Amino acid sequence: MTAHTPSTVEHSPVPGSRRAGEVRRRGDELLSIGAVLTFLRDDFPEVTISKIRFLEAEGLVEPQRTPSGYRKFSSADLDRLAYVLRMQRDHYLPLRVIREHLDAIERGEAPPALPAPDNRPGPLEEADRELVANPGGGVRLGRSELLAAAEAGEAELVEWESYGLVSAGPDGGYDGEALQVARLVAELGRFGLEPRHLRAMKAGAEREVALIDQVVAPLRRHRNPQTRAHAEATARELATLSVRLHAAMVQAGLRSRA
């Protein structure tokens, strides 16, 4: 995205938030990142300051900077942020596609057509789904590739790793399961759940792993290769059942509180 000045974005046709109009009526005053967060949370309660900073790092919005380095957002910036968040939430579009939409709008062109509901890729793109479905297929992601696929910033990945939520393999690469975890952690972050809140989930997963290991460990130590292969298949089946049980228990708990 090319750099823009307040004069070029002031009349941007990007459909934005309802409250961006309120900012315009007040003279298109420049907003701090905290004020932007307050405006956006009317329509996007899950948005966080870290998410706004990430979208800036990805070049989807370019706020002005004061001499002391503070971000200052115009109503057009607010519109752009609202557009990005809406396309992510309602259409599951990846950032590269949203950037194409914004670039087209800035050129005065109609943005690409939105996918039909049945054709929407969902939170994970199809390429990511294939990677997750075959994590042991030899496909490895580098650090920059993981960040791009998870739509996360370096600081976020460092924090995830500090809590043990995501970890690289011995070769420094990340497999499909690491990508899946990263994408889910990022999605939860949009609802205000930070890595420190997910420590209980990680501890619970580690207990489930230990329980499954008790069942399959004797089979894994067997000399017969078929028995060892059966151990891996059993472990995957137990993991699937464990996830289903966990989901059912959470849903039952939520219903009991309704």
Side-chain angles (χ1 to χ4, degrees), residues 143 155-167 195-196 199 202:
R143 194 173 185 86
E156 290 175 294
L157 180 54
V158 169
E159 187 176 18
W160 298 345
E161 290 177 323
S162 71
Y163 283 98
L165 300 173
V166 177
S167 59
R196 59 189 175 87
R199 286 180 295 186
K202 175 175 171 54

Side-chain angles (χ1 to χ4, degrees), residues 88-231:
Q88 284 188 313
R89 182 194 64 193
D90 298 345
H91 302 285
Y92 300 121
L93 295 185
L95 292 183
R96 61 178 176 78
V97 175
I98 298 175
R99 187 178 293 108
E100 293 172 2
H101 281 229
L102 291 171
D103 289 345
I105 291 171
E106 284 194 339
R107 294 192 300 268
E109 303 170 0
L114 295 172
D118 292 342
N119 296 328
R120 292 175 189 167
L124 289 177
E125 293 186 69
E126 287 305 318
D128 296 336
R129 291 182 189 280
E130 178 65 21
L131 180 60
V132 170
N134 300 282
V139 179
R140 305 290 287 179
L141 293 174
R143 194 173 185 86
S144 60
E145 293 171 318
L146 178 72
L147 290 172
E151 297 185 357
E154 174 66 26
E156 290 175 294
L157 180 54
V158 169
E159 187 176 18
W160 298 345
E161 290 177 323
S162 71
Y163 283 98
L165 300 173
V166 177
S167 59
D171 61 351
Y174 300 86
D175 59 19
E177 285 151 350
L179 170 60
Q180 188 176 32
V181 170
R183 293 294 296 267
L184 291 171
V185 170
E187 287 291 326
L188 288 169
R190 294 174 185 173
F191 291 88
L193 292 176
E194 300 176 7
R196 59 189 175 87
H197 299 139
L198 306 180
R199 286 180 295 186
M201 293 185 183
K202 175 175 171 54
E206 290 173 345
R207 288 193 294 269
E208 292 174 23
V209 168
L211 183 62
I212 293 172
D213 193 54
Q214 289 179 19
V215 176
V216 301
L219 300 176
R220 282 174 169 160
R221 293 193 295 266
H222 204 279
R223 294 180 180 179
N224 189 326
Q226 292 182 341
T227 303
R228 293 198 298 271
H230 176 64

Side-chain angles (χ1 to χ4, degrees), residues 22-32 35 39 73-75:
E22 180 182 332
V23 176
R24 291 193 194 91
R25 287 192 297 271
R26 289 154 56 183
D28 201 23
E29 66 183 67
L30 296 179
L31 304 173
S32 68
F39 276 101
F73 297 79
S74 68
S75 63

